[in-house]
Amino acid sequence: MIDLLIRGGRVLDPARGLDRRAHVLIDGGRVRGVVAPDEAPPARAAIDAAGLWVAPGLIDMHVHLREPGGEHKETIATGAAAAVAGGFTTVAAMANTNPVNDDPELTRWIIARAEAAGLARVLPIAAVTKGLAGETLTDFAALRAAGAVAFSDDGAPIMRREIMRAALAAGRQVDAAVIAHAEDRTLAGGGIVHAGPVAERLGLPGMPGVAESAMVERDCALAAAVGARLHIAHLSTAAAVAIVRAARAAGTRVTAEAAPHHFTLDAEAVAERGALAKMNPPLRTRADVAAVCAALADGTIDVIASDHAPHHADEKALGMAAAPFGVIGLETTLPLVLELVHAGVLDAATAIAALTVGPARALGIAAGTLAPDAVADVTLIDPDVAWTIDPTAFRSRSRNTPFAGRAVRGLAVAVCLAGRVVDHHLGGRYTR
Ligand code: DOR
Ligand code: ZN
C-alpha cells in the first residue's frame, strides 16, 4: 500500500526525456516510480490525472518576497502561498530586502520563516556585495554554509568589472552561480521605459537595449575567463540573446532566464497599462520579444522565471516616473508559458523543462525531476481550462500586474509538496 497514486496523467519529466501517459507512485514523501497504466499498486489516496499534465514541482528561481522590510507588499508566507497557487513548489528569493540578505544570520532566518509557512520551499539568494552597493564582496563561504543557493545583487548591477570578476571567482570557490542583473547604468541613462518610439511618443526617458547587452557581453567574458557559473537574469533583448547563444556555443558556463512579460508583451503595453507595465529591464520591441521566444525554443534561454516583484497599489499609483519598477508573476507565469505552447512556439517538454530541470541545473539543486527517490514535489496542470486573470483572486499581497483581464488557458490544479497534496481545483478527482 503506497501513500498516493497519481493515475493516468501525461507525465512530463524533461530531465529524463519522459513524456507519456503513466501513473506516478508516491510513498514516504518520495517518488517511488513512474509506471505503465496497467501496473497500479493499491494506494491510500489517489488523484485521477486523466487529461492533466503531471510535472515535477515547478521552480521559480527569481522572486522578490519583500520580507524583511517590505511586508506591506509581500511576506515570505504570502509569497509562498502565491507560489503554490501558481504551481511552484520551490522559489528562490532575491536579496534586495531591507535589510539586504548579505548576512548568514538573515539567510538562516529566511529559511526558518519559510519552513514555518510550510508551503513552497524558499531558497535564499544572498547578496554579492554588502548592501548591494557593488563595492565589497559578502562572505560567500559563510552565506553558502547558511543555506544560500546562489548570489545576486539583482535590482542593482555590479558596475565595477573587477568586483564582478572577484564575485565569479568567489562563486566558483563555493560552487554557486552568480546571477547577473545586466544593466550598464552609465548607458541606461536613468531611463524608465525602453528607448524607442513608445518612449518618444509618451515623452518618457528611455533605457536603450545596449545597456543590457553590453553588460551581458562583459559578464560572459568574465565568466569564461574565470571558469565560473554565471546566470543572466531577465534577458530582454535580441542583442543579449545573441551574445548568450555565442557564449554557450563557445562552452562558457552561462545559463539564462526570461520572464513572461518579456515574451508576451512589448513596449506598447506601457501606453495601455502605465506603471503596471513598468519594470526593469523594460518591455522591449516586437523583434526583441520574437528573439526571446526563439531563444526559449532553441534552449539558449533555459529558464523561465517570474521576477515576481510585488509593490503596493499606492506606490504604483504615483505615475510612470515615480512608481517603482516591477510586476508580480507567481500566479500568472504558468498560463503565460502555456500561451507559447498553445501558439506552437514551444513544445510541452521544452516549456516544462524551463520551469523545472532548467532552474534546478542553473541553481545546482537536486530538484526538478520525478526520478525514483526524488522528493515528491509534483505539479498537476490542466493545460486547457479557460479563465481570465483576476488580480483580486491572487494569494499574493500585491496586485501589480499588467495582465488583469487577459483571457488565458491552463493552470495548476494542485501541487504535491513531499507527497502532501495542496489542492486548488481537483474537486472529485481526489479520493482519500
Ligand atoms: O522590475 C524590477 N523590480 N526589476 C528589478 O531589478 C528589481 C525588482 C524589484 O525588486 O522590485
Ligand atoms: Zn528581480
Side-chain angles (χ1 to χ4, degrees), residues 333-346:
T333 288
L334 181 58
L336 295 169
V337 174
L338 290 170
E339 279 190 9
L340 299 190
V341 176
H342 293 309
V345 174
L346 297 185

Side-chain angles (χ1 to χ4, degrees), residues 62 64 94 154 234 307:
H62 187 155
H64 299 268
M94 285 297 177
D154 180 62
H234 43 50
D307 198 3

Side-chain angles (χ1 to χ4, degrees), residues 62-99:
H62 187 155
V63 304
H64 299 268
L65 298 186
R66 305 303 188 207
E67 187 179 355
E71 292 84 353
H72 61 297
K73 304 175 192 231
E74 197 80 282
T75 66
I76 290 167
T78 60
V84 162
F88 294 95
T89 55
T90 297
V91 299
M94 285 297 177
N96 67 337
T97 47
N98 185 15

